[in-house]
Amino acid sequence: MTGFGQGRQSRNRPGGSARALSEAYDTALLDLDGVVYYAGGNAIPYAVEALEAARGGGMHLAYVTNNALRTPDTVAAHLTELGLPTGPADVITSAQAVARLVADEVPPGSRILLIGGEGLRVALLERGLVPVESADDDPVAVVQGYGGPETPWSRFAEASYAVGRGLPWYASNTDLTVPTARGIGPGTGAAIEVVRIATGAEPKVAGKPLPPMHRETVLRTGAERPLVVGDRLDTDIEGAFNGGVDSLLVLTGVTDVARLLAAVPEHRPTYVAADLRGLLVPQPEVADGGDGAFWCGGWTASVSGGALLLDTTADGDGADAAGALDPLDGVRALCAAAWTEARAGACGLDATKALERLGLV
């Protein structure tokens, strides 16, 4: 497998790998919030140690974020402070993706109405475009990205004036929310809705899960065997699906097991792990036991009466030295049962008792 664009692959169970993922893939394409650090900027437990071990084994680490506010230099400096030495070239943002998209469609040196922050400004300048502040500054296009919670309402009005005059409109991403240290706040997508309501127009979007972001990632990383690592089904995992590459979902961010079990095909990851330590180990196979039952690591999952059921296998395979089974193996088995039952839709099965068995309710 080389790069992205190899075709979408629907799955009805998590995949297995006999080798550690850090050995099976040459590049980890890592989301940041909920994967490497929390919204407040502090590292998630085990993240730094796991990533340093993966890099020490030869895996290239690249950080791919829909956040268009911060520059690659700023992100790299933050990661370095956390104990992950990182250069700006290892950071790929939706601001860079949308700037390339615009540059491919307008003449060099064009004026672009900027509605966003410093990350988007730097990305436009990198492409030889000229950011301007007003619809009256003769822009040829409008580019909108996250500008932070202090963005004045007048910026959305300025975008609306320009888009209303017929200028092409581009957006870094459409994430409706953004995690912050104080809670969940409105994201770029919420701001885009303001302009959409005022104009009735639709922007061209670059960020995850859409192809321009993958194009930018491949061009900047040169990944041959990439593994997308994220915590969001609708951006990270769907983006990997759209790009035809494998993905690892870590359960340290916004996605819980109930959402994972209900995932539609484009939101089903190749692998599932509790945290980034999952990069350093092989991934167990989920076996089809027949009659709708699936086995993984000593657990067996099935469907009966509109509910997901979970039990242990008779031989107890998968138990550690203390005789305990890994709850994540139970999650993997449940995914196989739920996704197989749902086929191309979202699973509507009752998973309450199964998750109680795993201590996840």
Side-chain angles (χ1 to χ4, degrees):
M1 174 172 54
T2 302
F4 289 93
Q6 303 301 310
R8 302 178 181 184
Q9 299 177 356
S10 183
R11 64 178 57 255
N12 65 2
R13 75 183 82 169
S17 174
R19 302 163 62 196
L21 298 183
S22 58
E23 299 172 1
Y25 298 89
D26 70 344
T27 306
L29 305 180
L30 296 137
D31 185 42
L32 291 170
D33 289 321
V35 176
V36 179
Y37 49 66
Y38 294 117
N42 294 324
I44 288 173
Y46 311 112
V48 172
E49 299 88 342
L51 291 176
E52 279 297 279
R55 176 158 47 196
M59 188 178 221
H60 177 208
L61 306 180
Y63 302 92
V64 185
T65 176
N66 261 0
N67 190 327
L69 178 60
R70 298 197 296 170
T71 66
D73 293 84
T74 301
V75 174
H78 179 202
L79 291 168
T80 300
E81 289 174 1
L82 293 179
L84 289 166
T86 305
D90 294 321
V91 179
I92 302 93
T93 73
S94 62
Q96 294 171 320
V98 75
R100 189 185 297 271
L101 182 61
V102 175
D104 287 345
E105 298 182 1
V106 303
S110 292
R111 292 170 171 255
I112 307 297
L113 177 59
L114 168 64
I115 310 296
E118 185 63 14
L120 190 52
R121 181 182 302 278
V122 169
L124 290 173
L125 291 171
E126 182 186 34
R127 291 286 149 218
L129 302 171
V130 180
V132 298
E133 295 297 312
S134 171
D136 298 329
D137 289 335
D138 298 322
V140 301
V142 180
V143 180
Q144 187 171 358
Y146 187 62
E150 293 80 23
T151 302
W153 193 259
S154 60
R155 299 309 298 151
F156 307 140
E158 206 66 37
S160 299
Y161 303 148
V163 173
R165 295 172 187 174
L167 267 64
W169 178 28
Y170 301 84
S172 62
N173 65 291
T174 55
D175 295 7
L176 291 173
T177 61
V178 60
T180 75
R182 297 180 61 194
I184 299 298
T188 308
I192 286 170
E193 284 300 314
V194 174
V195 180
R196 180 185 281 123
I197 290 168
T199 64
E202 293 288 336
K204 291 184 178 181
V205 182
K208 295 184 286 186
L210 298 174
M213 190 72 178
H214 301 311
R215 176 192 175 201
E216 191 69 23
T217 300
V218 168
L219 289 172
R220 289 179 181 267
T221 65
E224 292 290 326
R225 301 186 311 281
L227 178 69
V228 171
V229 184
D231 70 311
R232 296 184 68 114
L233 301 179
D234 59 347
T235 54
D236 305 313
I237 306 307
E238 184 177 343
F241 176 85
N242 289 338
V245 300
D246 290 344
S247 60
L248 169 66
L249 177 78
V250 290
L251 299 174
T252 49
V254 300
T255 300
D256 59 19
V257 174
R259 290 189 181 93
L260 174 61
L261 295 177
V264 294
E266 60 267 29
H267 292 171
R268 297 171 185 171
T270 314
Y271 311 107
V272 182
D275 51 56
L276 285 174
R277 289 177 294 178
L279 285 172
L280 306 178
V281 294
Q283 297 293 307
E285 294 281 352
V286 179
D288 188 342
D291 296 325
F294 294 89
W295 304 340
C296 186
W299 296 99
T300 180
S302 59
V303 176
S304 179
L308 284 165
L309 304 180
L310 188 67
D311 205 343
T312 56
T313 57
D315 58 9
D317 280 351
D320 62 18
L325 297 177
D326 184 350
L328 259 294
D329 288 339
V331 170
R332 295 175 180 110
L334 286 170
C335 284
W339 298 348
T340 298
E341 180 73 13
R343 299 183 186 275
C347 175
L349 298 169
D350 183 358
T352 305
K353 289 185 177 180
L355 295 182
E356 285 176 348
R357 183 76 187 269
L358 293 172
L360 297 175
V361 174

